[in-house]
Amino acid sequence: MSARPLVVVGAGPAGSSAAIAAAEAGMAVTLVDENPQVGGQIYRQPPSEFEFDPGQTEDAVQSRGRQLRQQLDQLSERIELLTGTQVWGIFDDRRLAVIRAGCCQFLDAERLVIAAGAYEFVPPFPGWTLPGVWTPGGAQTMAKTMGVLPGRRALVVGTGPFLLVVANHLHQAGVQVVAVVDAVRRSEVIASLPRLATSSCGLLWQGWRYLRRLREAGIPLINGHVIVRADGESELQEAAIAPCDVDWHPDPARVRTFSVDTLCVGYGFVPRIQLAQLAGCRLKYSEELGGWIPEVGEYGESTSPAVWCAGDGAGVAGAAVAELEGTLAGLAAARHAGFLEKAQFTDRTRRILRKLTRLRRFRAALDRLSRVRPGLSSLAENDTVVCRCEELTLAEIKEVIDQGDPTQRALKVATRLGMGPCQGRMCWPGVARCAAALTGRPIEKLGALSVRPPIQPVKLGDLAGPNSPDDKHDS
């Protein structure tokens, strides 16, 4: 059994760029992704079996996704593409446990790039478990890649430029978007424009185009408001928002309701760090970058030997930053393997590092605007379910906190918080903020999620099934 020279997990902007950079340097690369096609969330494509017209002309984002796919195709002799492949564990010496085509396999990696991406953060609030309440990305995926409308009338609520992207996609797909609601105040946005413009006029102009399309469609943008509840008997019927202060505490005396059957709620993103944890990477907490992230160096090198982390899974910063980070990680892996001399490596990375510095300044300015603020922790009421898998309410969490230990480990032992199918990915970011607000402790003192394989649900039949006979490297 021989190990792959380089395995890249995640075929989004960062992972695809890492694979391309390493392959162009001469390496054999194995690119793994759980989705049927490459692209990640932002460059996601309809399944090849689907035939429907998304009703959209190609924009800059879609064009860039197409270019990345073409580059991967051109390097197919060096890039082994394993789509539809679920990584459920990483063991000693970078041994990856995967499920592929209903078979359990192991991939041994001499070097490993983890580009696992991020998922959306939804703070618990009354009614957030009702059918009809979505994350913005989930609703976008339904409309953009599956050809299914999530509903007829939608309210898009949260913070950040992704709301504008999703609202535009839903409108073009035929959904009536009644409003886009951003927690950031208009005055804060205006005050940040000079800093954003000096860092990246291109990205700022791209955001302006999305905003202009909303205005042309007659979709209002409501700033300085947050979601407070969702109402309905068996499904969503109404959504309520309220103006908020600078820390996003809502004013309950000024609630405004909308009659909708679809509510998209997303207050930023949380890095997917589970694979990095299993690979032994040391973590640190960064509020601006989404929470717990692996510690990485200039080229994405982690504290675990021959493991690099790139993209939103190493700190949420958007697709443009993710591509550059992925390219650096791919080049660093190629340099580690001896495919690039020091002078070549320095020459290829110098311009990337300069561009990355400029983009990170833009993201830092944007993140200061859209960072999650303490008021969101006040949305949940005592009877609000905060852990969906185990059906735990905020009152049950408070009982344990009142006993003096609000840490993730203590809550998990006492209540089973985070022991359901999502393993805490959905509940812990919100519960941690509630616990920090209730106790006055810094959120990083409460701990990151503890993980162990399998990091996501797998079928026992797949684990017990035979290995794939068509791959001599698997065992």
Side-chain angles (χ1 to χ4, degrees), residues 12-13 39-45 61-62 65 140 144 162 169 318-320:
Q41 175 64 29
I42 190 168
Y43 300 141
R44 188 184 296 273
Q45 295 296 298
V61 173
Q62 293 165 321
Q140 182 194 39
K144 180 181 176 182
F162 187 52
H169 279 304

Side-chain angles (χ1 to χ4, degrees), residues 2-22:
S2 60
R4 265 80 165 180
L6 174 62
V7 175
V8 179
V9 180
S16 295
S17 298
I20 290 167

Side-chain angles (χ1 to χ4, degrees), residues 408-417 419:
Q408 186 267 340
R409 185 174 297 276
L411 290 170
K412 186 174 184 178
V413 170
T415 68
R416 292 186 55 83
L417 177 80
M419 295 184 70

Side-chain angles (χ1 to χ4, degrees), residues 59-77:
D59 59 16
V61 173
Q62 293 165 321
S63 175
R64 182 56 189 150
R66 176 174 52 79
Q67 292 169 8
L68 279 178
R69 291 192 296 273
Q70 290 174 347
Q71 287 179 280
L72 290 171
D73 289 340
Q74 292 166 1
L75 293 164
S76 59
E77 290 187 1

Side-chain angles (χ1 to χ4, degrees), residues 127-146:
W128 75 312
T129 59
L130 276 172
V133 180
W134 299 72
T135 64
Q140 182 194 39
T141 297
M142 288 291 290
K144 180 181 176 182
T145 65
M146 306 303 289

